[in-house]
Amino acid sequence: MATRRARSRNVIDFCDSDLDFTTHEQKKQEVNKHTWKMAVLEQKEKRKHVDILREFRASFFSMNRLASFPWTFIETELQNKSSEFTSELLKQTCLHPLCETFPPSVRFRRLFLTELIKRQEAAGCDPLDELYDALAEVVGVEETPDCYKSYFLPNGDAISLLESIALISEGTTGLVTWEAALYLAEWTLENQQVFTGRSVLELGSGVGLTGITVCRSCNPLRFVFSDCHSAVLEKLRENVRLNRLGEETSPAIRVDELDWTTVTEEQIRGIRADTVIAADVVYDPDVAGSLVKLLLKILDCSSAEAQPEIYICSTVRNPETYGDFKLQLEAAGLNHEVMTGPVGAVFPYNRLAPLELMKVFR
């Protein structure tokens, strides 16, 4: 009996020690899990910081509306009374090397820095010399009619463009980048097969964002930028040069003066376009009529077996004008298909704008 009790005691002791070991292991796992969770949270916080800095950088260099900047995150950071994040933010904006070469407008930089100072002072943070020095550099500096805007590609490279500060300048709206061009550029990045190894013609290239995006990211064989306004063509050629593109580069680049009302079949055949794109060119009934005639001529100059793909992206500011454009396409025997489906957000712009991308075909 005593032996049985002793044996039972040994079993219980063994179980207790096993339980102690299990409890110890559980505690160890809990500690490891807590440490892992803390590490994950720290990594997420770091990624959040990086993403916010990138968002500020993209919005700053494209001169997006100040109200659209992620200021709420900054307010949270400034509550810690630390100037470290502000210093990092300056390095991604006003103190970024790109700002030395292709600076946004003086007024925009001044407004941005003033807003940043207001928020830092409201949070009771210590003054940051770099911030006030940056503001001093743009106070009293005379504004120029042109400035640079830069748009970052997914690989981190920037497309820098010389643009007009005024929306309408020299009798044209073609000296600034509009939402439809940004949307079409994003679409090209997700549909590179439409351009790879092909000859591409862009109608109404403006300052060149969409076309330069295609040339830098989609590997076309040839690319022809085109417009008809002399001031636009001058700025377009400058922007092509700024982004290190030209006749001797790959792809081979041309910038052509192309008047839709007088272009000849010989000119169109000489371009040999496999793909045709245009953004924000349907804004006036007369212009829309000329565009329809041009598209018909482009298709007529190609064989039935090798019809070019045509994509037109529009901001629908006037539904009546846009609807009339569709009716004119139909009257000319041309069909269209609205391209739906999500497009990844690459560039900052007003995504509430009524944008539509269509494919035109016979």
Side-chain angles (χ1 to χ4, degrees):
M1 191 71 172
T3 305
R4 187 181 297 170
R5 280 202 206 97
R7 191 176 298 153
S8 298
R9 184 71 256 169
N10 289 339
V11 170
I12 290 169
D13 289 344
F14 178 80
C15 290
D16 284 345
S17 64
D18 194 44
L19 184 62
D20 289 342
F21 177 77
T22 303
T23 304
H24 175 73
E25 283 300 306
Q26 285 175 340
K27 286 180 179 178
K28 187 177 177 182
Q29 286 176 6
E30 285 173 8
V31 169
N32 289 340
K33 190 182 291 184
H34 177 73
T35 305
W36 178 79
K37 280 184 178 178
M38 292 299 293
V40 168
L41 286 173
E42 188 177 344
Q43 282 296 109
K44 282 184 177 178
E45 197 61 31
K46 283 182 181 178
R47 280 201 298 269
K48 188 177 179 182
H49 276 228
V50 170
D51 290 343
I52 291 293
L53 287 170
R54 282 178 182 160
E55 189 175 339
F56 264 98
R57 183 187 68 175
S59 294
F60 175 81
F61 282 104
S62 64
M63 288 176 55
N64 207 15
R65 295 175 304 110
L66 281 180
S68 69
F69 282 52
W71 296 111
T72 306
F73 182 85
I74 282 219
E75 289 170 358
T76 304
E77 285 295 311
L78 293 179
Q79 286 174 3
N80 300 325
K81 310 299 183 188
S82 170
S83 296
E84 185 179 343
F85 183 79
T86 306
S87 181
E88 283 298 314
L89 180 57
L90 282 173
K91 290 175 185 176
Q92 293 298 321
T93 52
C94 293
L95 302 184
H96 193 283
L98 192 64
C99 199
E100 286 286 324
T101 316
F102 302 116
S105 78
V106 171
R107 181 174 179 274
F108 182 82
R109 283 179 282 157
R110 190 162 55 235
L111 289 172
F112 171 76
L113 289 165
T114 302
E115 183 66 27
L116 189 52
I117 287 170
K118 279 181 186 176
R119 290 175 183 271
Q120 195 182 42
E121 289 178 346
C125 294
D126 293 332
L128 186 64
D129 290 342
E130 298 166 277
L131 187 52
Y132 290 91
D133 290 344
L135 180 61
E137 287 184 12
V138 292
V139 170
V141 176
E142 188 177 348
E143 189 69 271
T144 59
D146 296 330
C147 66
Y148 292 101
K149 291 184 182 179
S150 297
Y151 305 88
F152 289 89
L153 295 168
N155 65 2
D157 290 346
I159 294 174
S160 296
L161 305 174
L162 185 63
E163 300 191 18
S164 171
I165 290 174
L167 295 180
I168 300 175
S169 179
E170 300 189 50
T172 178
T173 57
L175 298 173
V176 295
T177 298
W178 296 90
E179 286 92 347
L182 289 156
Y183 180 86
L184 181 56
E186 289 177 335
W187 185 85
T188 68
L189 291 170
E190 292 197 357
N191 295 273
Q192 297 187 22
Q193 73 283 356
V194 175
F195 307 95
T196 302
R198 295 185 174 187
S199 294
V200 183
L201 167 63
E202 183 179 24
L203 303 171
S205 297
V207 290
L209 173 73
T210 305
I212 293 171
T213 300
V214 172
C215 292
R216 293 274 290 272
S217 303
C218 303
N219 298 311
L221 180 64
R222 285 184 296 273
F223 196 98
V224 178
F225 296 86
S226 72
D227 216 291
C228 66
H229 195 285
S230 58
V232 175
L233 286 165
E234 182 181 347
K235 197 146 290 182
L236 178 57
R237 290 189 176 102
E238 174 67 8
N239 286 333
V240 167
R241 186 192 64 78
L242 286 177
N243 288 277
R244 302 178 301 280
L245 299 171
E247 293 181 6
E248 306 303 319
T249 64
S250 179
I253 303 297
R254 274 171 39 194
V255 178
D256 286 4
E257 180 177 357
L258 198 67
D259 187 327
W260 298 354
T261 61
T262 61
V263 63
T264 65
E265 292 184 1
E266 184 181 358
Q267 281 179 280
I268 292 171
R269 288 196 178 94
I271 294 171
R272 306 190 309 279
D274 303 309
T275 304
V276 179
I277 59 173
D280 233 327
V281 292
V282 183
Y283 53 85
D284 177 271
D286 293 335
V287 172
S290 298
L291 176 60
V292 171
K293 291 175 183 175
L294 174 62
L295 297 180
L296 191 59
K297 192 178 287 187
I298 289 172
L299 291 169
D300 284 341
C301 288
S302 305
S303 66
E305 297 78 26
Q307 294 274 282
E309 294 186 43
I310 300 173
Y311 299 92
I312 310 292
C313 190
S314 304
T315 304
V316 186
R317 299 181 183 85
N318 186 326
E320 186 178 341
T321 299
Y322 193 63
D324 184 59
F325 169 62
K326 291 181 175 180
L327 289 174
Q328 290 189 61
L329 286 172
E330 187 180 337
L334 299 179
N335 301 304
H336 75 273
E337 174 192 355
V338 176
M339 309 297 290
T340 57
V343 172
V346 177
F347 308 115
Y349 61 92
N350 177 19
R351 295 185 181 276
L352 297 178
L355 297 163
E356 185 169 283
L357 174 64
M358 67 164 66
K359 181 177 183 179
V360 177
F361 54 96
R362 201 189 294 277

